[in-house]
Amino acid sequence: MKSGSNLEKVLKAGHFAFTGELGPPRGTDAEEVRKKAAFLKGNVDSVNITDNQTAMVRMASWAASLLIMQEGLEPNYQMVCRDRNRLAMQADILGAYALGIRNMLCLSGDHQQFGDHPSAKGVFDIDSMQLIYMVKKMRDESKFLGGGDIEEPPQMFIGAAANPFAEPFEWRVHRLAKKINAGVDFIQTQCIYNMDKFREWIKRANDMGLTEKVYILAGVTPMKSIGMAKYMKAKVPGMDVPDEIIKRLQGAEKGKVAAEGIKIACEQIEEFKELQGVAGVHLMAIEWEHKVPEIAELAKVLPRPVME
Amino acid sequence: MIVAQRKPFDEIMDMLKGYKKVLNVGCGTCVAVCLAGGEKEVTVLNTELDMARKLKDDPIEIDGITIERQCDREYLAELDAKVDAYEAVVSMACGVGVQFLAERFPQIPVFPMVDTSGLAANQAVGWYEERCRSCNQCVLGMTGGICPVTMCAKGLYNGPCGGTNQGSCEINMDQPCAWYMIYERLERQGRLDNILELHKPVEWLDQTPRTLIQPGYKKIDPEDMV
């Protein structure tokens, strides 16, 4: 065991993992975090807590992580490279571990131009790949990036993202391999809609032996509406939404588009359970946390395993 | 070369409020080439200032002189006999020139008339694109001649990030993704192995004022210089 986190135990035991996501509020309302957490409790193995997602200021990721821990959930603490340098990052990692956080997701972060402080100075002292390397060095060598010794090093389960769709497609598996070499333990992918392309990506990852070295959780986001699907297709960089998905939503009866979106997601999850190289699903039900119990039920991923 | 653009006129007017006798010093090198601060631009600015101040009933006496390079003592020397006749000096050089001028004449207020934007290439007359951030540790050999520090909006050494968008950067479809271009070029050259390995965290060398002394030379006291 690298970290002893629940997520690590679930994956190591060979269970099909199911993780969720929670976006902290743009304010100080702890109750809002607790409310969202209540929908996730018992339905997922770990909950990603986003870090100033889309470059909008929100409650600190570590703080919201602590709030959900108080509710009995396990956080997957997200950290982006946009907002802090290597000193601040390492300090936060020490603090997070000291307070009980055991999983981390290492991300570059959306460019600050997208958010509510577009003229902020982006830090990017290190990038997501180097962040993985740094957390691993802290954990496995008990060393800070600068070389100094760490007393009681943080034993984090190290995660990262992967986008199986972005061009150049040929590069995607090599980038995954690079993250594995940097020290990543698990991957959560970008939201998957183009199943053909995802199958090809995972096949290549299998062929290169990568899926034996890292746990891959397939990213799923159910479409709430036709508008959302069109927006994601046209406006969200790196997102690949085939026309068939939009057509299927358009074909749904009036008032049943969201249900169709959930149905598509559940069909995907069923396939992922059987797909070689996929170790679980990461469900990103954006501002749709209250639907997670229903989705988990329909996707037949309940009950979640209880680990010792 | 170094490129710059003239500051907004209102900002210039504001800086010169209260000064009645001013010398405008142009620079004949980079800022002259990029049409921001050479002899012609000195004349244009002086004419504009003259008219604007007259309209305000607050005339200004403004003279112009353009020297070869403001970042070089040899050329600054020709100003020594002139500046004391003025209440202030304004400079149309890059930030380096402005500082060197202010350093030479510490008794006189010196104001910048341009904003320095970077190290750029000349795409066409009047059109310049940044290509270098002077990081002090060039990786262009590894990246196929495309700078990730300058051309990637996040300055990533292990790109592309998840925001790469069909060859464009997530910030703007008109901005090519540097790492997409790096991949394409290295692939064409059969050199992808250059970027297969992790590029470890960078030890930034541009965090303190840098002094560079070429081999065979040494630092000498400016007082000893002619």
Side-chain angles (χ1 to χ4, degrees):
Chain A
M1 279 289 157
K2 289 166 172 167
S3 69
S5 77
N6 183 60
L7 179 61
E8 182 181 8
K9 285 179 188 160
V10 166
L11 286 165
K12 199 155 189 230
H15 297 292
F16 190 77
F18 194 63
T19 56
E21 189 153 312
L22 187 155
R26 285 189 33 94
T28 59
D29 189 3
E31 203 46 45
E32 191 183 324
V33 179
R34 291 191 192 105
K35 263 186 208 153
K36 283 182 178 178
F39 294 119
L40 295 163
K41 192 170 182 182
N43 295 315
V44 294
D45 304 315
S46 177
V47 181
N48 286 40
I49 306 294
T50 55
D51 180 14
N52 283 348
Q53 107 196 59
T54 63
M56 305 276 279
V57 177
R58 291 169 183 277
M59 181 188 289
S61 174
W62 62 263
S65 291
L66 291 190
L67 287 171
I68 73 152
M69 281 166 62
Q70 288 165 6
E71 299 304 300
L73 284 101
E74 177 176 282
N76 180 12
Y77 171 43
Q78 295 195 185
M79 182 179 276
V80 299
C81 298
R82 179 193 58 231
D83 303 334
R84 33 177 106 58
N85 71 5
R86 60 190 77 179
L87 278 85
M89 285 173 145
Q90 291 177 102
D92 280 351
I93 293 163
L94 296 182
Y97 188 81
L99 292 165
I101 292 171
R102 295 291 177 268
N103 307 303
M104 259 191 81
L105 195 76
C106 306
L107 303 168
S108 300
D110 294 322
H111 196 274
Q112 58 276 14
Q113 268 189 21
F114 286 104
D116 60 349
H117 293 75
S119 51
K121 184 172 170 70
V123 180
F124 302 109
D125 175 21
I126 57 175
D127 62 28
S128 61
M129 202 78 75
Q130 295 161 343
L131 174 56
I132 295 166
Y133 167 81
M134 183 172 82
V135 184
K136 183 179 163 65
K137 189 180 172 94
M138 292 172 82
R139 182 189 70 195
D140 295 350
E141 297 173 35
S142 304
K143 296 271 189 208
F144 289 114
L145 192 54
D149 293 330
I150 306 175
E151 292 167 36
E152 302 292 323
Q155 306 289 323
M156 290 286 186
F157 193 44
I158 307 170
N163 184 337
F165 310 106
E167 298 296 334
F169 181 68
E170 301 293 326
W171 177 247
R172 305 326 305 181
V173 274
H174 294 296
R175 187 161 169 80
L176 174 64
K178 220 168 152 173
K179 287 194 175 176
I180 293 168
N181 290 337
V184 79
D185 301 310
F186 70 99
I187 289 285
Q188 291 171 321
T189 77
Q190 173 70 281
C191 314
I192 299 159
Y193 297 105
N194 187 337
M195 291 295 281
D196 289 340
K197 213 163 179 179
F198 181 75
R199 285 182 204 111
E200 176 59 26
W201 179 78
I202 203 80
K203 181 183 172 295
R204 290 185 188 196
N206 285 333
D207 291 347
M208 282 172 71
L210 302 179
T211 50
E212 287 159 28
K213 298 177 186 164
V214 70
Y215 299 108
I216 293 179
L217 277 61
V220 173
T221 291
M223 293 290 192
K224 292 189 218 177
S225 64
I226 297 160
M228 174 181 170
K230 285 184 173 169
Y231 177 81
M232 287 179 105
K233 184 183 176 73
K235 300 279 184 205
V236 182
M239 202 69 80
D240 185 344
V241 183
D243 290 330
E244 299 84 73
I245 296 281
I246 296 172
K247 275 186 202 138
R248 226 182 116 175
L249 294 170
Q250 283 167 333
E253 280 175 53
K254 218 175 169 191
K256 299 220 168 134
V257 176
E260 188 66 22
I262 291 175
K263 194 162 172 249
I264 295 170
C266 291
E267 288 168 16
Q268 286 182 297
I269 296 169
E270 284 302 331
E271 180 170 346
F272 292 141
K273 286 181 194 168
E274 305 302 324
L275 201 57
Q276 189 201 336
V278 176
V281 158
H282 177 51
L283 180 71
M284 292 163 275
I286 305 157
E287 292 304 316
W288 228 24
E289 289 83 359
H290 65 280
K291 286 280 186 185
V292 171
E294 180 190 333
I295 297 166
E297 184 71 46
L298 289 170
K300 302 189 189 77
V301 293
L302 297 179
R304 296 312 308 151
V306 177
M307 308 308 293
E308 281 302 308
Chain B
M1 69 181 153
I2 296 169
V3 297
Q5 71 186 129
R6 205 180 84 181
K7 280 185 169 288
F9 191 66
D10 288 348
E11 189 183 339
I12 291 175
M13 283 289 280
D14 216 37
M15 274 193 277
L16 294 180
K17 212 175 267 173
Y19 294 102
K20 299 203 180 294
K21 193 163 187 227
V22 172
L23 177 65
N24 185 354
V25 186
C27 182
T29 308
C30 311
V31 289
V33 179
C34 73
L35 313 175
E39 196 170 4
K40 189 174 133 226
E41 290 77 29
V42 168
T43 309
V44 171
L45 176 59
N46 286 5
T47 309
E48 284 179 57
L49 279 169
D50 181 51
M51 285 168 63
R53 290 282 287 260
K54 269 186 189 142
L55 280 172
K56 284 184 172 258
D57 238 1
D58 178 24
I60 186 169
E61 194 186 330
I62 184 155
D63 297 321
I65 181 171
T66 298
I67 61 174
E68 188 64 28
R69 273 202 296 283
Q70 288 188 31
C71 57
D72 204 322
R73 279 202 182 83
E74 183 189 340
Y75 301 107
L76 285 178
E78 62 188 279
L79 300 173
D80 291 354
K82 295 193 170 72
V83 296
D84 282 330
Y86 298 92
E87 295 167 15
V89 174
V90 302
S91 166
M92 299 197 74
C94 69
V96 179
V98 178
Q99 291 188 60
F100 220 40
L101 194 62
E103 201 173 306
R104 190 167 186 102
F105 307 114
Q107 73 279 18
I108 300 174
V110 173
F111 298 105
M113 294 293 105
V114 303
D115 290 313
T116 308
S117 65
L119 304 181
N122 199 343
Q123 286 282 25
V125 180
W127 167 17
Y128 312 96
E129 282 184 1
E130 187 180 18
R131 286 291 185 273
C132 176
R133 289 271 167 93
S134 58
C135 71
N136 223 346
Q137 42 193 333
C138 192
V139 292
L140 288 169
M142 172 191 89
T143 58
I146 297 160
C147 175
V149 182
T150 314
M151 305 306 289
C152 166
K154 297 175 185 172
L156 306 180
Y157 283 79
N158 292 286
C161 71
T164 185
N165 196 4
Q166 282 143 15
S168 292
C169 173
E170 67 179 10
I171 61 161
N172 184 345
M173 283 306 278
D174 296 329
Q175 180 63 48
C177 168
W179 277 98
Y180 183 88
M181 293 194 295
I182 291 168
Y183 173 86
E184 294 281 301
R185 191 169 294 170
L186 291 177
E187 209 257 332
R188 198 172 310 142
Q189 296 177 358
R191 296 203 295 147
L192 274 180
D193 52 335
N194 274 11
I195 54 170
L196 287 176
E197 296 295 318
L198 168 78
H199 192 283
K200 296 228 176 106
V202 177
E203 293 179 23
W204 303 105
L205 297 176
D206 54 354
Q207 304 299 298
T208 53
R210 288 166 277 176
T211 296
L212 184 145
I213 298 164
Q214 297 292 15
Y217 292 81
K218 59 181 188 196
K219 213 169 169 177
I220 47 172
D221 190 333
E223 297 289 316
D224 298 336
M225 285 186 252
V226 183

